[in-house]
Amino acid sequence: MEKAVPHLSSRELLAWRGVLEVQSAILPALEAELRQSVGITLSEFDVLYQLWRTPEKQRRMIDLARAVLVTPGGITRIVARLEERGLVRRVSAAGRQAVLTRLTPRGERETAAAMDVHFDGVRRMFIQYVDRADIDRVIELWARIREASPDSHHPAEQSQPET
């Protein structure tokens, strides 16, 4: 039972706390499985996944940072780690200021293995508890919240299924 707060009803508070508690339980477990099975972090997986889902298997660094929801400095550090392992390659074209990050063939193989681990975990820890109608309602709910968010500056990214 939650203690009453002046800004939310008890049910509203339970709904909000539920989002936080589920996220704080599931994300660390998903990360632990990825680290143990394929040796990558959840953030590294997200970078690989964001590259994998594009037809060209590449993105500009700034677009990648927005898709992964990290700062440009954060994406630079993650990409550097992945590049050291041969999973991605940074490419800068002559006459272009933007640097692209491209998934390597090895990165594609590792992403496929990581997706098996990650999405199996998502199914076990989340999807199995949500029926089809609830999934549709959750999709609509998240879309409504994102659209109303003050930080909804990249709607094209939001219409794509995420990790």
Side-chain angles (χ1 to χ4, degrees), residues 141-155 158:
L141 173 64
W142 296 151
R144 207 168 48 235
I145 292 169
R146 275 194 308 269
E147 288 167 12
S149 167
D151 192 32
S152 61
H153 60 277
H154 42 76
Q158 295 167 353

Side-chain angles (χ1 to χ4, degrees), residues 23 63 67 108:
Q23 179 182 349
D63 296 333
E108 285 192 64

Side-chain angles (χ1 to χ4, degrees), residues 4-147:
V5 297
H7 305 90
L8 302 172
S9 72
S10 295
R11 293 182 54 74
E12 291 167 339
L13 183 58
L14 285 172
W16 175 243
R17 290 286 309 165
V19 168
L20 299 175
E21 290 167 358
V22 167
Q23 179 182 349
S24 70
I26 291 176
L27 293 182
L30 291 172
E31 175 141 355
E33 287 184 356
L34 280 171
R35 283 180 180 270
Q36 183 176 43
S37 297
V38 291
I40 63 173
T41 67
L42 196 52
S43 294
E44 291 167 343
F45 170 76
D46 199 13
V47 168
L48 295 172
Y49 174 75
Q50 295 301 331
L51 293 170
W52 173 85
R53 62 184 266 229
T54 64
E56 310 81 23
K57 306 290 189 262
Q58 67 183 22
R59 292 184 100 151
R60 293 182 324 153
M61 289 287 282
I62 191 70
D63 296 333
L64 192 53
R66 286 183 185 128
V68 178
L69 307 176
V70 298
T71 64
I75 199 68
T76 299
R77 288 186 293 278
I78 296 167
V79 166
R81 288 193 310 261
L82 294 170
E83 192 171 34
E84 284 175 16
R85 295 174 48 198
L87 304 179
V88 301
R89 185 167 50 98
R90 282 184 270 198
V91 180
S92 55
R96 294 183 70 190
Q97 187 175 12
V99 174
L100 297 173
T101 300
R102 181 176 296 150
L103 197 58
T104 65
R106 179 179 174 195
E108 285 192 64
R109 289 189 302 274
E110 297 234 2
T111 302
M115 285 193 300
D116 288 344
V117 171
H118 180 70
F119 292 120
D120 177 62
V122 169
R123 179 163 300 286
R124 270 185 296 101
M125 295 178 216
F126 179 71
I127 298 298
Q128 76 167 335
Y129 301 107
V130 185
D131 67 36
R132 186 176 203 74
D134 287 337
I135 288 175
D136 292 339
R137 281 192 288 276
V138 167
I139 291 168
E140 291 173 26
L141 173 64
W142 296 151
R144 207 168 48 235
I145 292 169
R146 275 194 308 269
E147 288 167 12

